[in-house]
Amino acid sequence: MNKDSSLRRFLRNIYGYCFFNKLILLTPVYAVFMQSHGLTDIQLSLMFILCAAGTFLMQIPVTWVTNKLGSKRAIIFGMCLKAIAFTLFYVCPTFIGFSIGMLLWGVEIAFYNVAFEGLLYDELRARRHQRMYARVLGVRYNVQAVGTALSAFGSLLMFAGYGWITFASLVALAVAAICIMRIKVCASINKAKTVKKTNFIKLFKTGAKICARTPCILLMLLISLFVANIAYLDDYLSPIGVEIGLPVEFVGLIQFFVLGCAVLGQTFAYRFSRVRDWILYAAICVAGAMFIVFATDYSVRGLWSLGISYILFSAINVLLYSRFQDFLPPRYRSVILSLYSIGDNLVYIGTCFIIGLGSTLGSWRYSLIVLGILLIMVGLWALMFVRDKCAISSTPGATSVKDVRPISRAQA
């Protein structure tokens, strides 16, 4: 009975943290806020690049800090960095202030990836409930989705001003931190444990050898990374909403709309787990074409095409990531997933750079056209050169798509 009560308290705090950590009312308006204080379109893209760079470059130092402080303290430390970032946005609304804030936010994401993910699994294992990890993961994603959806309405508070929206976001972070502090750690920690320096050259060599022996790993990794990142517009939705004529108070609605479309695609993706490869690759072309359709009918009326593209891409991402996982040898899964994480940040940085360059032509619509063309090219490349080389029938005992969810940037 005590074990069950302890587990329930632990899960309540975990879900509470996940909810309030995503209930950031500043999310739908911070990009617009930056541009209202002089940031150009290319500079806004640079902000997102700095955030990704902070996550990528600080992954190893964050791992060292987490092992020194412990998961709980590391998570709270990361949240303090996030709170400082939000405060900087408001009290120092300059290029330098925004840059430092976004870099700190990226470091917080690195702490989340290392500390929180480790805390969740280790604590379930310490309580001898590791078998329910997949179920807890599913509930956690749903709780995060609810928090993200509610945060989209933050733009409706624009009548109160950015200061109050920032304050409400900081309060949500404080509640999330309280949830983490209330967790009673059961997992034993070896204080003498040290973190060995990661040999990236050896890591890349190992990954390259595995990919050379199993080309489908490399092919699925590349297609999954390209589709997941080139089609990721979430960070730019607010400026796009303003540009197509939405009042700044309602830009959060576009995020709420595409989130609903993404959830719809993810929910029913498993029904197409056995779809032929050529259909999946053709769907990439169709979804990319929807980007171009939206850029052509660049208005609130044209949002239907963006919604269709989000439904398609969210389903395609789940299917591609699942097939990628199917090819990974269990012994080297962590190595390949490390490479995937590195590639994810690098491709995202490249995507932000392309979006920024496209916007220099005078509108975000040109960036959408470029992204749509790139996605169509990815789909055509897969149709012509990958074809059925990595057919799902060639992977006996493949993991069910229903049980595999890629961790997106929105969930971090």
Side-chain angles (χ1 to χ4, degrees):
M1 187 67 177
N2 289 334
K3 283 186 177 181
D4 291 339
S5 298
S6 174
L7 178 65
R8 284 197 295 269
R9 284 196 299 271
F10 170 71
L11 292 179
R12 279 198 298 267
N13 286 312
I14 285 292
Y15 297 147
Y17 164 78
C18 291
F19 175 78
F20 286 103
N21 190 48
K22 300 302 293 184
L23 186 63
I24 306 300
L25 299 175
L26 197 63
T27 301
V29 295
Y30 75 89
V32 177
F33 177 73
M34 290 178 178
Q35 291 206 294
S36 69
H37 282 79
L39 259 62
T40 63
D41 292 346
I42 190 69
Q43 287 176 330
L44 182 62
S45 287
L46 179 60
M47 294 300 107
F48 299 136
I49 290 173
L50 284 173
C51 185
T55 304
F56 170 61
L57 295 175
M58 296 301 293
Q59 202 72 48
I60 300 305
V62 159
T63 303
W64 182 85
V65 172
T66 299
N67 277 267
K68 288 292 184 180
L69 297 180
S71 295
K72 273 183 59 173
R73 292 178 180 176
I75 295 170
I76 294 171
F77 180 70
M79 295 184 71
C80 289
L81 295 180
K82 192 173 183 178
I84 294 172
F86 290 170
T87 304
L88 273 175
F89 291 164
Y90 184 71
V91 301
C92 187
T94 63
F95 179 82
I96 298 298
F98 292 143
S99 298
I100 296 174
M102 292 300 286
L103 194 62
L104 291 177
W105 197 349
V107 177
E108 184 273 335
I109 294 174
F111 271 107
Y112 176 92
N113 292 340
V114 174
F116 179 71
E117 298 295 340
L119 175 71
L120 179 57
Y121 185 83
D122 289 343
E123 288 301 311
L124 285 175
R125 183 175 61 181
R127 291 170 168 79
R128 299 182 180 179
H129 285 286
Q130 63 266 35
R131 288 188 176 182
M132 65 183 300
Y133 177 70
R135 188 174 69 182
V136 171
L137 220 55
V139 176
R140 166 191 149 195
Y141 289 151
N142 290 334
V143 169
Q144 287 177 320
V146 173
T148 302
L150 292 177
S151 69
F153 293 102
S155 61
L156 296 177
L157 300 177
M158 277 299 297
F159 70 90
Y162 287 105
W164 284 105
I165 296 176
T166 301
F167 177 74
S169 300
L170 292 175
V171 170
L173 285 179
V175 175
I178 291 172
C179 290
I180 291 296
M181 288 188 287
R182 285 169 54 88
I183 292 176
K184 182 179 179 181
V185 177
C186 294
S188 59
I189 301 175
N190 184 1
K191 298 296 183 179
K193 184 178 178 180
T194 59
V195 181
K196 296 180 180 179
K197 292 183 178 180
T198 299
N199 189 329
F200 280 102
I201 295 178
K202 186 176 181 180
L203 178 69
F204 277 112
K205 285 183 178 179
T206 303
K209 288 180 181 178
I210 296 172
C211 291
R213 294 172 185 170
T214 314
C216 282
I217 292 179
L218 178 61
L219 292 173
M220 287 294 102
L221 182 147
L222 290 175
I223 298 174
S224 181
L225 285 177
F226 289 150
V227 172
N229 287 281
I230 297 177
Y232 186 79
L233 285 177
D234 295 39
D235 293 329
Y236 295 89
L237 290 176
S238 295
I240 288 174
V242 171
E243 198 171 64
I244 63 176
L246 280 174
V248 67
E249 293 85 0
F250 299 109
V251 292
L253 297 180
I254 189 173
Q255 294 190 338
F256 184 81
F257 170 68
V258 299
L259 176 64
C261 292
V263 170
L264 182 63
Q266 286 182 170
T267 301
F268 295 100
Y270 75 95
R271 295 179 180 271
F272 304 93
S273 59
R274 297 292 169 179
V275 73
R276 298 287 295 275
D277 284 11
W278 71 269
I279 297 177
L280 187 59
Y281 302 147
I284 297 174
C285 297
V286 173
M290 287 295 100
F291 269 30
I292 299 176
V293 171
F294 176 56
T296 303
D297 187 11
Y298 195 56
S299 63
V300 176
R301 179 186 60 191
L303 285 174
W304 66 268
S305 54
L306 184 64
I308 291 176
S309 67
Y310 260 78
I311 292 173
L312 289 172
F313 279 129
S314 59
I316 292 169
N317 284 336
V318 172
L319 295 170
L320 288 174
Y321 192 80
S322 173
R323 296 188 183 192
F324 167 65
Q325 287 274 18
D326 290 338
F327 287 105
L328 300 188
R331 183 179 177 183
Y332 297 104
R333 187 178 299 274
S334 61
V335 173
I336 302 300
L337 289 180
S338 295
L339 289 177
Y340 185 94
S341 178
I342 293 170
D344 184 58
N345 283 282
L346 291 177
V347 176
Y348 176 71
I349 289 173
T351 301
C352 290
F353 183 71
I354 291 171
I355 294 175
L357 285 180
S359 68
T360 59
L361 297 175
S363 172
W364 295 110
R365 69 191 303 171
Y366 299 113
S367 301
L368 289 167
I369 292 173
V370 174
L371 294 180
I373 293 173
L374 288 176
L375 288 164
I376 291 173
M377 291 174 63
V378 170
L380 291 176
W381 167 72
L383 280 170
M384 291 187 293
F385 299 103
V386 181
R387 292 177 291 188
D388 59 350
K389 292 179 182 178
C390 302
I392 200 164
S393 58
S394 65
T395 58
T399 306
S400 169
V401 177
K402 192 173 182 180
D403 299 327
V404 179
R405 289 189 183 184
I407 298 179
S408 67
R409 295 181 182 277
Q411 293 167 341

